[in-house]
Amino acid sequence: MTTNNYDAIIIGGGHNGLVAAAYLARAGKKVVVLERRDMVGGATITEEIIPGFKFTEFSYVVSLLRPEIIRDLKLPQHGLKILPLPSTFTPMDNGDYIAGWDDHDTTRREIYRHSPKDAEAYDEYGRRMARLAKAIKPILSILPPDPTSLHPKDLMGLLKLGQFASSLTEKELYGLAKIMTQSAADMLEEWFETPALLGTKSASGIIGTFLGPRSPSTAYVLLHHYMGEIDGAFRAWGFAKGGTGGIAEAIASSARAFGSEIRLNATVKQVIVKGGRAVGVALENGDEIYAKAVLSSADPFVTFLKLVEAKHLPDDLIHSIQKFRTRGSSGKVNIALSELPRFTALPDQNVLHRGAVSISPSIDYIERAYDDAKYGRFAKEPYIDMIFPSMIDPDMAPPGKHVMSCFVQYAPYDIEGGWDDAKREAFGESVISTTERYAPNIRRPTLGKQVITPADIENITGITGGNIFHGELLLHQLFFMRPATQWAGFRTPINGYYLAGSGAHPGGGIMGSPGKFAAELALKDGI
Amino acid sequence: MKTYDTIIIGAGHNGLVAAAYLAKKGKKVLVLERRDMVGGQVVTESFGENFKVDSLHAGGTLRPDIIKHLNLASHGLVVDTVRKPFISLQADSKHLVFDADPAKAAESIKRFSEKDAANWIPFLDFMNKVSRFVHSANAAIMPRLPKGFNASEGMALAKLGINVRMLGGKNMMRIIRGIPMTADEFVDEWFESDIVKAAVASLGLHGFTLGAFGAGTGYTLMHNWANRGGMSHVSVQGGIGKISEALAGAVRLLGGEIRTNAEVKKVVIKDMRASGVVLSNGEEISSGNVISAADPKHTFLSLVGAMELPPEFVWNVQSIKMRGSVAKVHLLTDGKHGIPDGTVVVAPSIKYLEKAYDAAKYHQISEKPYLEVTTSGNVVSIHFQFAAYKLKSGDWKTEGAKVEKIAMDTLAEYFPDLKPSIVNRKVLTPLDLETTYGLTEGDLNHGQLMLDQFMFMRPIPGWSNHRTPIDNLYLCGSGVHGGGGVSGASGRNVVKVLK
Amino acid sequence: MQQLRNTPFHERTSALCQPQNWRKWAGYYVVGSYEHTIDREYWAIRNSAALIDVTPLMKYMIKGKDAANLLDRVTTRNIHKMSVGQVYYTAWCDDEGKMIDDGTVARLDETTFRLTSAEPNLRWLMMNAVGFDVHISEVSDSVASLSLQGPNSRSVLKRVCESDVEGLKYFRLMKNKLGGVEVTISRTGYTGDLGYEIWMEAKDALKVWDALMEAGQDYGITPVGILALDMTRVEAGLFMLDVDYTSASHAWIEAQKSSPFELGLDWTVALDKPGYFVGRKALEKEKKEGSSWKMVGIEIDWVGMEALYAEVGLPPQVPGTAVRASMPIMVGNVQVGYASTASWSPLLKKYIALAHLEKPYYELGTDVRMEITVEHHRKHAPAKVVKLPFYEPEWKKK
């Protein structure tokens, strides 16, 4: 079957694909989204794996979803609600804990209890990070230029970049240079002394990377935590009503309302290229669909190496994408509970269950978890970022029961001997036994669990290597080098073929920017 | 009381280069050296009868233009032009030999990978361009950003930009991308054999406290390659100390003064302005300028004193990552050590290198270390990594023996004849590097050459141009941009910014 | 879960606080006002004796051989000139000469100082203490403090203290015994009136409170909340961190920062002291080149304001408490500054404000206009730049 009356085809119904579709449809274009699975969302989904218990299977919290996307696509009218995650609670090995709230004075008092010096450093650090986040924010919306090119558009881009750099104060400029290159551990150790505070803060530098907190360049990711705050749209991290699947559904609903078509169970086999131009796609079932443009929200590896034939691309680009680092390093364990776990450090409290629980007693704890992974093993004692979605949105579990979402690092995609059921089981067990150290009753209320390894992420969502960012956020994989030098502008060497996924600038997380940028470029190119 | 135009603290190679250039300009200079010999790290010392060793660096060359300007050949400096091979030891004794002759090297690589052998010559070609980039970057003084640089600094930077651009767009991007890479990623762009990769990647770790998976070891690899002019060391005839002796000779001939056994205790500061120094014997010497070739931490926290400096500056200085993790084991043998001539490394795999580094991360000594071995007649010198300066347990008064044992056991697997051939030994621990050679925390580089401590971030943000918050006080050691290695760039550059 | 703290006086203050008017101050709850209107509290400060719980002030003990050297480096005053028993009011700056905070330094003995501040400063002090032989400890929670202010305050203390306070001079302190408890009394305050601050161990807090309340009965002693205090400090021309200026360490942008010169603290900047102190170079430069801003007092012209209200048929309205909001100040149609706190002065019967004006409008006597909102409309009331403080009774320093 052949159809050919579309303006644009979007490959992949993840949040970026859906954002791209909604923007194109909003501009009056005839658009179809082709999703491999029987549901939209990609890695942004909520599924009822155990009856009555809704699991945010992959991504589970949101901070960076661009406010302009929320406004432009009228997402609140389509059901989007981002609920606050008001605290972070880190149990310590000595039975005590350290916590932070969204209230300044309370947090100060709590940290003061552990270290008066840290309590002050915490404020000052927060302010510096917020100022740096403010300083770097414009970069996220600059289309990355090619610094080697003399093309006017690239020179303009460089000029903009230059203007940006010269608009910064000396402190901001050096601050940015430092934070881009330092390790999270080095940076934090300049400020703090309490091990559990250091551990918890450093963890946000390594989420989704195949790096440890002592690896240079991990400090940059810490900044992301302060970006949400300065938008004024919402504070730091939040949990979407209905889980992250709620976000995908809201965007899908918006896209449909603007007139976009979304086809499920439609696996794209190849992009059809004619005369150096993408003209459509061939599906696995033999159907061909034609359109003026094709936007791929798949990862760069799939987009360049699987969906198009090598002959259409320059060797350099192929080489770069082959070397593009997409090593998955994290897994998820989702658990259905008959009651909340009781933490030894705070047995009679459950206010903190509304926020995040971080298993990160020290930097070295996380670094050792990384050591396991770099030699091909999953961490025996992993870093865990835990939330209880049912405490934030009661609809996530049957009344009186709970779901617990554990983001777990490190679990290498390239595990020694490959992933199998036994290893998956053992990986799940490592999360339970680690949690048990701090909440001894965890086994009793466990009704069932789902363990997701990086291999599972790849199998289910199609993301190469199971990397949650479609490619690691490494310095040489950012900005004008993401995903490859000279091809960082969402356009590809094939006319009418665009990269619209997290593998493009500005990168991963539920941000939506790549989808929006790619759609805007396609419109600019006159599709 | 005698007064000088400039006093230079420390007679290491950078201090001497600065002194020579200033003397050449007709300035009245005085170099003050704590030890009884000049040279700093660039020394050849005797640790016993017939036991003369290049104490810390097995090789190295000053930048050719400096050798020429200062006419060092006339002071007895002869740089060996013969490049010996770089040998990566293999368990089966079929070592990987990177001969100076590219074709021969490719032949050896072929045993491990045909593809890598084919890539060897293009890789050398690329690394030559890299070296040009590194040298021109080191020749430029890094200005204060973003608006604080004067015309001459701007010119130097513009020149650097042009030089980089002239390498071609593709190479330029490749170098820029390579800087923040890990050594592993850097070599992975070219090679597939783990053995070949590890041998090349080991250069990125040499002298630094970073692993093969550490971002920025792409840059340190380029840095060390550029300083060596290739993979293996080029030794100096008569020992590396000849460089320092030649420099000292040049300084004296040009009218400069050098005093050894003259430890500076304090820089004299009045109203935020340096006006001389006080020696540990209490003697005060005044001067117009003071240049410290000591490391920035020692310079600011001990010689100047935190109380004379702005708090944020002090905090930044305290945060400079020193982290030495190099130990040296020097052996005098009866000559039957069995070690081939050249730069010999124990770097069998990328993961081996990374694991060796893990020890430093946790303040330990590598059980399976990365070693680099050079020989000179009966003398064997072992460069040992990683031996953390700050040990979690034990201290360096006793742990030196452990380093020696681990080094011996590691090498015994390849050279069974080495142990029985030993006549005398000298271990230099990271603590020795600090106490004997004045290197804070035993850091050979006066501050790790990490991404957040290089170029315009070196030694600390805002102060990359050799100047300090104290008027008339300048820095010229390895801790400033241009430093790290024996090139003398930092000593050369400081002279350009001096008032 | 952590809770905000109650001060050691809470047992007493909570029993007296009728309107449940609590304010957050540096992680503590303190009384905003004890009664539903604050008039009586205001007049207690100006006419009799007011007892104010000021425990939330940050307090640091600085001890050691280099204690004076450290404070001389951190603050703008010449600490070496201080004698034991003396108290200095001072600002401290970052190295760009912009104010971080302000407070008092008390020299308790040759090598012991107590520093008070509005915001936490432990980290800053420690950053500055590298290389000094000094020990810094925070005593905010362990030292309680009461401010006894008003013309009768001396009489109250004379009745209750073991040693006579008669000879205690302005900005001096003495050790004393009060209600059987060891205290330190300093002749300081934030009201511009005769007044004292009493420092004690937190455990002794209630004893001191009770002794003062009992002794003060005949002198009209009244517990006073921080709202009335806020009105009097405006009359006294005293500014407040986070209200009238932004700490350099909190500011988002350069323009939000202030130098001590810009806040009228020229007299506290001892550029004649020797050696380095934090901000010296920048302050020397500003002194030489002149400041582009100044904080001044302005008096709103009552007749002019009355006319604006009369236009809509209303009598003039003044706020019942000090107003902490930014109000534009104009000359012609150009904004030349802003007022950061305005207050009705019940004593002076004037509407006054602390204002920040650009050069040259900060000169005394300059006619300006301040924005006020009259029946939902923005109007500009005529005002004049006047000398600070607005009110200074002769007994303040006597």
Side-chain angles (χ1 to χ4, degrees):
Chain A
M1 200 180 78
T2 303
T3 22
N4 64 355
N5 52 352
Y6 290 104
D7 292 312
I9 294 166
I10 284 107
I11 303 173
H15 71 277
N16 273 311
L18 295 169
V19 165
Y23 270 95
L24 289 168
R26 181 170 167 261
K29 300 294 170 190
K30 194 164 156 47
V31 185
V32 61
V33 178
L34 302 173
E35 168 56 43
R36 204 170 54 95
R37 296 190 69 197
D38 58 1
M39 62 195 297
V40 294
T44 313
I45 56 168
T46 305
E47 272 192 282
E48 205 171 301
I49 299 289
I50 293 168
F53 294 87
K54 291 178 189 156
F55 287 169
T56 50
E57 274 185 275
F58 306 105
S59 60
Y60 57 108
V61 286
V62 56
S63 153
L64 299 168
L65 183 59
R66 305 298 309 150
E68 64 267 25
I69 294 177
I70 297 178
R71 288 189 294 267
D72 290 349
L73 303 183
K74 301 186 167 59
L75 298 183
Q77 282 95 314
H78 294 279
L80 179 75
K81 286 179 196 158
I82 294 174
L83 309 168
L85 266 168
S87 61
T88 304
F89 162 74
T90 306
M92 305 187 336
D93 288 327
N94 64 4
D96 198 353
Y97 68 94
I98 188 164
W101 289 265
D102 48 8
D103 176 65
H104 168 263
D105 283 346
T106 320
T107 304
R108 193 182 122 65
R109 275 287 172 202
E110 165 67 6
I111 298 173
Y112 191 90
R113 196 164 71 80
H114 298 275
S115 157
K117 199 170 139 255
D118 282 5
E120 282 184 44
Y122 191 84
D123 285 354
E124 184 67 20
Y125 169 82
R127 286 190 289 265
R128 290 233 184 153
M129 292 297 273
R131 280 189 284 248
L132 285 182
K134 175 184 83 95
I136 202 171
K137 227 189 82 173
I139 281 250
L140 297 183
S141 50
I142 294 177
L143 288 180
D146 171 4
T148 66
S149 149
L150 297 174
H151 190 281
K153 100 178 146 60
D154 288 311
L155 291 180
M156 271 308 287
L158 281 176
L159 189 68
K160 262 196 205 159
L161 205 61
Q163 283 168 347
F164 162 73
S166 63
S167 74
L168 299 176
T169 63
E170 184 180 288
K171 266 195 183 156
E172 286 170 337
L173 196 65
Y174 282 114
L176 286 179
K178 221 173 154 183
I179 206 167
M180 297 291 288
T181 50
Q182 240 180 340
S183 78
D186 284 343
M187 176 161 136
L188 292 165
E189 282 172 347
E190 287 178 14
W191 292 87
F192 304 110
E193 59 185 17
T194 310
L197 180 62
L198 283 163
T200 306
K201 291 232 158 239
S202 75
S204 36
I206 49 96
I207 285 179
T209 69
F210 203 116
L211 295 169
R214 297 204 181 279
S215 305
S217 83
T218 44
Y220 167 70
V221 188
L222 298 178
L223 253 196
H224 274 216
H225 273 240
Y226 292 84
M227 300 260 188
E229 286 197 31
I230 55 164
D231 274 333
F234 38 80
R235 255 180 91 84
W237 294 91
F239 180 83
K241 164 86 188 163
T244 45
I247 301 174
E249 274 163 31
I251 307 172
S253 163
S254 162
R256 285 197 191 96
F258 283 122
S260 167
E261 201 181 315
I262 298 172
R263 265 196 230 176
L264 303 175
N265 300 310
T267 309
V268 175
K269 198 174 159 209
Q270 200 162 56
V271 173
I272 304 166
V273 180
K274 274 189 188 140
R277 198 177 167 84
V279 294
V281 299
L283 299 187
E284 220 137 64
N285 66 7
D287 288 359
E288 291 190 351
I289 308 174
Y290 286 86
K292 289 181 198 155
V294 178
L295 285 75
S296 169
S297 67
D299 68 73
F301 194 82
V302 171
T303 301
F304 292 109
L305 303 184
K306 283 197 174 162
L307 293 179
V308 295
E309 291 172 89
K311 63 179 181 192
H312 300 302
L313 298 170
D315 290 347
D316 273 2
L317 178 60
I318 290 176
H319 180 79
S320 296
I321 299 298
Q322 280 167 345
K323 297 291 177 196
F324 190 64
R325 299 263 164 165
T326 64
R327 299 162 300 173
S329 59
S330 43
K332 273 294 295 284
V333 176
N334 299 308
I335 302 174
L337 296 169
S338 61
E339 59 178 281
L340 287 171
R342 290 160 73 89
F343 288 92
T344 318
L346 266 188
D348 301 319
Q349 288 261 5
N350 61 10
V351 189
L352 289 160
H353 285 101
R354 284 185 214 138
V357 178
S358 181
I359 306 298
S360 48
S362 70
I363 287 179
D364 277 355
Y365 174 93
I366 302 175
E367 187 68 24
R368 286 188 195 277
Y370 163 63
D371 287 346
D372 279 339
K374 72 184 178 185
Y375 302 119
R377 305 181 294 264
F378 64 77
K380 286 260 150 33
E381 296 185 336
Y383 158 65
I384 307 172
D385 186 37
M386 214 178 269
I387 61 166
F388 301 93
S390 49
M391 285 294 288
I392 308 160
D393 176 4
D395 300 341
M396 297 297 285
K401 307 233 172 2
H402 290 282
V403 284
M404 171 170 159
S405 154
C406 301
F407 172 87
V408 192
Q409 210 161 314
Y410 296 78
Y413 172 80
D414 286 316
I415 197 166
E416 224 168 47
W419 282 100
D420 54 32
D421 289 347
K423 284 202 191 87
R424 184 191 295 109
E425 195 47 43
F427 172 57
E429 171 56 27
S430 78
V431 173
I432 300 282
S433 62
T434 301
T435 308
E436 199 171 24
R437 280 169 52 188
Y438 304 99
N441 76 330
I442 183 71
R443 282 181 204 274
R444 194 160 44 85
T446 298
L447 301 173
K449 67 176 191 287
Q450 176 195 30
V451 182
I452 296 170
T453 70
D456 297 328
I457 298 178
E458 182 179 74
N459 287 337
I460 300 169
T461 68
I463 301 172
T464 309
N467 182 277
I468 61 171
F469 293 143
H470 283 203
E472 298 165 53
L473 298 179
L474 300 170
L475 276 181
H476 58 90
Q477 297 195 163
L478 286 177
F479 201 53
F480 57 74
M481 299 185 265
R482 188 170 185 87
T485 46
Q486 297 171 308
W487 294 107
F490 305 94
R491 292 186 180 96
T492 72
I494 301 165
N495 286 329
Y497 189 43
Y498 300 87
L499 178 63
S502 288
H505 172 78
I510 304 177
M511 202 183 311
S513 302
K516 175 172 181 272
F517 280 147
E520 285 170 350
L521 266 186
L523 289 170
K524 216 166 151 189
D525 291 346
I527 62 155
Chain B
M1 198 172 65
K2 245 174 141 180
T3 6
Y4 294 87
D5 291 324
T6 302
I7 287 174
I8 292 160
I9 304 170
H13 67 286
N14 276 313
L16 292 171
V17 167
Y21 274 94
L22 285 170
K24 210 175 163 203
K25 280 182 161 179
K27 300 287 178 195
K28 205 160 159 274
V29 294
L30 170 66
V31 185
L32 296 168
E33 169 56 43
R34 196 174 126 266
R35 296 189 71 196
D36 58 3
M37 62 194 298
V38 298
Q41 298 186 48
V42 186
V43 287
T44 306
E45 288 173 278
S46 175
F47 295 118
E49 204 181 327
N50 298 323
F51 194 11
K52 240 176 119 184
V53 191
D54 289 350
S55 310
L56 302 181
H57 297 280
T61 51
L62 287 170
R63 227 166 56 195
D65 59 314
I66 296 175
I67 297 180
K68 216 171 93 190
H69 283 162
L70 301 178
N71 207 4
L72 296 182
S74 74
H75 294 282
L77 182 63
V78 183
V79 179
D80 220 329
T81 45
V82 187
R83 184 176 292 280
K84 291 173 188 163
F86 182 97
I87 302 162
S88 173
L89 300 174
Q90 302 303 319
D92 59 1
S93 296
K94 289 179 183 158
H95 304 316
L96 168 58
V97 182
F98 296 87
D99 198 273
D101 174 358
K104 272 196 193 162
E107 201 55 43
S108 180
I109 295 169
K110 215 178 214 166
R111 286 214 315 275
F112 303 94
S113 158
E114 294 257 353
K115 212 175 130 215
D116 292 355
N119 261 346
W120 182 245
I121 289 169
F123 177 68
L124 286 180
D125 205 43
F126 172 68
M127 289 309 282
N128 281 334
K129 296 201 167 80
V130 163
S131 297
R132 271 163 55 197
F133 159 75
V134 172
H135 284 306
S136 65
N138 282 342
I141 295 157
M142 286 295 134
R144 188 171 184 148
L145 299 176
K147 289 137 194 160
F149 52 95
N150 60 36
S152 73
E153 286 167 357
M155 277 295 286
L157 212 61
K159 214 168 119 190
L160 170 62
I162 292 165
N163 283 342
V164 174
R165 198 66 188 74
M166 270 165 55
L167 298 173
K170 217 170 118 182
N171 285 318
M172 165 183 149
M173 277 317 292
R174 204 160 195 170
I175 292 171
I176 291 174
R177 279 185 71 227
I179 290 171
M181 276 188 181
T182 68
D184 172 44
E185 287 160 346
F186 190 91
V187 294
D188 186 55
E189 298 253 311
W190 296 89
F191 307 113
E192 58 175 18
S193 153
D194 192 34
I195 289 166
V196 177
K197 283 193 209 173
V200 179
S202 72
L203 254 72
L205 275 56
H206 188 89
F208 302 105
T209 305
L210 285 168
F213 295 157
T217 45
Y219 174 73
T220 49
L221 199 172
M222 298 193 245
H223 179 92
N224 277 339
W225 186 291
N227 274 336
R228 294 181 182 191
M231 279 181 86
S232 57
H233 291 290
V234 173
S235 52
V236 179
Q237 274 183 28
I240 198 162
K242 288 281 176 206
I243 294 180
S244 310
E245 284 168 25
L247 279 170
V251 171
R252 291 198 181 101
L253 187 75
L254 292 161
E257 231 180 285
I258 301 172
R259 276 172 66 181
T260 51
N261 294 313
E263 183 183 20
V264 174
K265 201 168 167 230
K266 276 278 169 203
V267 174
V268 179
I269 292 157
K270 282 207 185 82
D271 291 327
M272 298 148 84
R273 180 178 294 271
S275 60
V277 299
V278 182
L279 302 186
S280 50
N281 65 8
E283 185 186 346
E284 190 170 333
I285 312 171
S286 62
S287 65
N289 290 313
V290 177
I291 302 177
S292 172
D295 70 67
K297 237 180 187 164
H298 181 69
T299 301
F300 291 119
L301 299 182
S302 302
L303 299 180
V304 172
M307 44 282 262
E308 301 289 345
L309 297 161
E312 191 93 0
F313 183 89
V314 171
W315 185 42
N316 281 329
V317 171
Q318 286 179 305
S319 302
I320 296 175
K321 293 173 277 285
M322 307 299 284
R323 295 188 187 159
S325 62
V326 172
K328 304 287 285 190
V329 181
H330 297 299
L331 304 170
L332 176 66
T333 70
D334 59 11
K336 295 180 192 124
H337 50 70
I339 299 170
D341 213 9
T343 304
V344 178
V345 296
V346 177
S349 73
I350 292 279
K351 282 189 177 164
Y352 180 96
L353 292 173
E354 179 69 17
K355 264 195 186 134
Y357 156 69
D358 284 347
K361 213 161 62 172
Y362 302 114
H363 306 289
Q364 294 160 345
I365 300 167
S366 309
E367 293 293 338
K368 292 194 176 303
Y370 150 67
L371 301 178
E372 192 185 83
V373 188
T374 48
T375 52
S376 169
N378 291 352
V379 174
V380 176
S381 286
I382 304 162
H383 172 105
F384 183 107
Q385 271 177 255
F386 294 80
Y389 166 82
K390 283 181 195 154
L391 285 176
K392 196 164 217 166
S393 58
D395 69 59
W396 279 117
K397 285 185 191 100
T398 53
E399 296 298 282
K402 191 175 166 197
V403 167
E404 186 191 334
K405 182 172 186 309
I406 293 170
M408 288 302 96
D409 291 348
T410 309
L411 287 176
E413 289 176 29
Y414 307 98
F415 307 112
D417 299 338
L418 174 62
K419 249 187 217 176
S421 73
I422 298 170
V423 177
N424 198 353
R425 69 205 69 210
K426 175 72 186 176
V427 179
L428 297 173
T429 68
L431 186 65
D432 292 329
L433 298 194
E434 182 174 73
T435 49
T436 310
Y437 302 92
L439 300 164
T440 304
E441 291 187 27
D443 190 338
L444 296 171
N445 292 288
H446 288 196
Q448 290 288 306
L449 207 56
M450 303 165 93
L451 293 176
D452 57 317
Q453 298 193 151
F454 90 135
M455 304 280 273
F456 58 88
M457 311 281 280
R458 191 169 183 83
I460 62 165
W463 299 96
S464 52
N465 55 6
H466 301 270
R467 293 188 177 90
T468 72
I470 305 294
D471 286 345
N472 299 346
L473 175 68
Y474 300 83
L475 289 182
C476 81
S478 285
V480 200
H481 169 73
V486 189
S487 76
S490 178
R492 172 73 192 95
N493 288 347
V494 73
V495 176
K496 297 181 194 163
V497 298
L498 219 60
K499 270 183 228 154
Chain C
M1 185 168 152
Q2 273 297 315
Q3 299 290 341
L4 293 192
R5 290 201 164 211
N6 293 322
T7 77
F9 302 103
H10 190 76
E11 210 180 311
R12 298 289 180 272
T13 56
S14 59
L16 294 164
C17 177
Q18 294 166 23
Q20 295 304 321
N21 183 350
W22 295 91
R23 299 289 158 130
K24 263 183 10 174
W25 176 9
Y28 283 94
Y29 292 114
V30 291
V31 173
S33 67
Y34 287 91
E35 296 179 10
H36 294 282
T37 58
I38 61 172
D39 296 14
R40 214 170 69 82
E41 294 174 40
Y42 168 83
W43 284 107
I45 297 172
R46 289 290 176 235
N47 187 53
S48 55
L51 190 59
I52 309 160
D53 177 4
V54 292
T55 302
L57 270 176
M58 296 285 163
K59 293 162 278 230
Y60 302 95
M61 295 297 283
I62 295 147
K63 284 186 186 195
K65 189 167 74 59
D66 284 331
N69 289 331
L70 171 64
L71 287 165
D72 197 63
R73 167 187 164 89
V74 171
T75 70
T76 55
R77 308 265 329 239
N78 187 341
I79 301 295
H80 294 297
K81 282 189 178 169
M82 254 181 124
S83 46
V84 172
Q86 201 174 358
V87 183
Y88 270 1
Y89 167 77
T90 186
W92 50 101
C93 300
D94 65 9
D95 208 43
E96 278 80 52
K98 302 297 184 186
M99 265 171 74
I100 289 175
D101 205 337
D102 63 300
T104 58
V105 183
R107 188 164 206 165
L108 304 181
D109 63 45
E110 220 24 70
T111 57
T112 309
F113 293 80
R114 180 174 53 223
L115 176 77
T116 66
S117 64
E119 281 278 326
N121 276 280
L122 183 65
R123 184 168 177 272
W124 183 246
L125 290 170
M126 282 162 78
M127 267 174 80
N128 276 285
V130 181
F132 286 106
D133 180 3
V134 70
H135 181 260
I136 306 162
S137 54
E138 183 176 347
V139 293
S140 303
D141 291 347
S142 59
V143 173
S145 40
L146 283 172
S147 187
L148 181 66
Q149 302 284 310
N152 289 352
S153 52
R154 184 183 290 136
S155 310
V156 176
L157 286 181
K158 280 172 79 103
R159 180 180 276 197
V160 76
C161 287
E162 199 178 87
S163 316
D164 195 357
V165 298
E166 185 67 46
L168 185 61
K169 288 195 206 136
Y170 189 55
F171 268 80
R172 299 280 162 161
L173 62 80
M174 70 187 299
K175 289 213 161 82
N176 212 326
K177 236 176 159 176
L178 198 162
V181 168
E182 302 274 352
V183 297
T184 305
I185 299 177
S186 59
R187 197 171 148 192
T188 48
Y190 198 43
T191 60
D193 221 297
L194 174 67
Y196 300 85
E197 286 169 315
I198 303 148
W199 314 82
M200 72 220 81
E201 294 282 326
K203 62 175 170 50
D204 299 329
L206 294 181
K207 280 185 211 153
V208 175
W209 175 280
D210 293 342
L212 285 167
M213 285 299 284
E214 198 194 315
Q217 227 168 21
D218 297 340
Y219 297 96
I221 196 166
T222 308
V224 167
I226 59 171
L227 295 180
L229 179 66
D230 210 18
M231 291 172 81
T232 53
R233 65 103 184 163
V234 177
E235 293 172 338
L238 300 171
F239 54 75
M240 189 179 229
L241 179 66
D242 280 345
V243 177
D244 301 294
Y245 77 101
T246 305
S247 167
S249 61
H250 291 211
W252 276 88
I253 50 173
E254 289 305 306
Q256 288 176 342
K257 301 176 183 174
S258 301
S259 76
F261 296 120
E262 288 171 348
L263 291 172
L265 294 183
D266 308 47
W267 62 279
T268 66
V269 183
L271 289 175
D272 57 346
K273 65 177 171 177
Y276 173 80
F277 69 91
V278 184
R280 172 166 209 137
K281 272 188 182 169
L283 291 168
E284 276 172 350
K285 188 164 175 268
E286 186 178 339
K287 177 88 180 171
K288 217 172 94 198
E289 294 171 1
S291 309
S292 38
W293 287 82
K294 281 268 182 214
M295 193 190 82
V296 294
I298 60 164
E299 271 179 27
I300 290 86
D301 176 53
W302 186 257
V303 178
M305 190 162 84
E306 202 164 32
L308 293 175
Y309 280 94
E311 280 175 21
V312 294
L314 284 172
Q317 290 167 353
V318 289
T321 57
V323 181
R324 298 173 171 190
S326 177
M327 291 150 282
I329 292 180
M330 321 287 291
V331 166
N333 286 324
V334 181
Q335 184 172 348
V336 298
Y338 60 95
S340 47
T341 312
S343 182
W344 169 249
S345 169
L347 180 95
L348 302 169
K349 300 283 181 261
K350 281 178 183 167
Y351 191 36
I352 55 176
L354 298 176
H356 307 261
L357 298 178
E358 281 174 59
K359 200 176 179 176
Y361 303 102
Y362 51 62
E363 298 302 333
L364 287 185
T366 307
D367 286 312
V368 297
R369 289 180 302 135
M370 185 178 90
E371 185 178 292
I372 56 168
T373 304
V374 178
E375 197 61 8
H376 318 297
H377 286 79
R378 289 181 184 181
K379 302 283 179 189
H380 294 117
K384 198 182 268 307
V385 176
V386 298
K387 201 169 162 281
L388 287 175
F390 298 100
Y391 174 67
E392 185 170 34
E394 46 146 347
W395 53 82
K396 175 175 130 182
K397 295 185 185 176
K398 222 159 93 180

